Amino acid sequence: MIKTITVREAYDWITENDVTATQFEELIRYIEEKYPNEQVLDQKYKRLRFINYVGVVQCSDVRYEIVPKITLSPVDDRKSLLEMLSITRFLPISFYEQVLNGEEKGDLLMAFLATFLERLLNEFGKGPYKTYERHEENLYALRGKLELSKHIRKNAFQKTKAYCAFDEHTENNSLNQLFKCALLIVKSYTKTHALTLHLERCLGYLERVDIIQFSQSKLRSIMFNRQNERFRDAALFAKLIVERATIYSKGRSASSFSFLFQMNMLFEKYIEVALKEAVGNNELVSQHAEKRLLRNKKSGYRNILLKPDFVINNKVILDTKWKSATYKGRSRYVQSDIYQMYAYVTAYKDVERCILLYPKQEGETEHPVWEVTDTEKTIEMCTVRVDEFSETVSELEEMLNGYFASPGT
């Protein structure tokens, strides 16, 4: 029986009251192994929480859902996460259908797997990808090329066989091996009849495909061409499964895998898509990297690269911050963020506003607007809704009103 624990990123704690000590240790060990250089967990004594990352971690018989804290309801937070992933194409497969059909009210993993299996099954229905693979085999009839030295070595006393090398048109290639590996990893976690049926049908197309273990080099060796390009999205998704999978053997074997996404990167990409909708592509530059803050007097080189998230119409700079802008009814900010915005507004002579943009949450207070001394430039804290894309676009339009032409003009 799979136990599902849903927590909000940087907010809800998981303790040994929620899971056994063994399950608690397994989660920590898995994260340390698969995300060694990333800060995924905030650990305290006998408790932990996920920070900076959202998604799903499947460890043995416990599934951890990590959702962004946007609304009061975890179901709505789950829906918002799926919509953000869909809109940004942060994953190689779109989740629009799951959002539209209300399937997000299930769990995140089922939404991910449903889309993956439907896409893969649709492509298999057009025919599995086949390649010519070289084989060597001792046969009773000559096929392809006779490998003379190996033939003599193997058939010195067997006159009725020939050791042959030949090319065979087969589905047993690395791409299909990847699909089979990914399908077998998630097989035991597809809990609905429809998903199980889709998965078994996919495996049916791969019946003659070998089961192999994938190394990083083997994963990187999978290439795409005109014949298999239609499988690209499904293959990238399968790679996510295989790359983050591991096997624990402590009395029993269990596959563990995850789909985790950096929330600050997802928020930034989501705002980028919303800004393009609000102000038009021609007036928006993302990750602008043309300005440097200082010049080295000895070398003459300009140093300290400035890289704001967005420059709009050369009048507004906007930097996204995935954190709460309010704490106990008061604005909360990090001074280094303000210094960074001051550096932007100093280097960009034509810029009039620098905005630190945070996700809007309940209980928002009025946030400050700072005037830069002896100028008419401002540094501001603003928040925007992220639970509904149309509302995000509308609030950005209102926030930036007067600094860009209408998208249709």
Side-chain angles (χ1 to χ4, degrees), residues 189-204:
Y189 303 112
T190 52
K191 63 183 182 181
T192 68
H193 176 71
L195 286 188
T196 301
L197 185 62
H198 282 3
L199 189 141
E200 293 296 341
R201 288 180 64 189
C202 287
L203 286 174

Side-chain angles (χ1 to χ4, degrees), residues 200-212:
E200 293 296 341
R201 288 180 64 189
C202 287
L203 286 174
Y205 283 103
L206 304 173
E207 188 174 0
R208 297 174 59 188
V209 173
D210 293 339
I211 301 172
I212 68 167

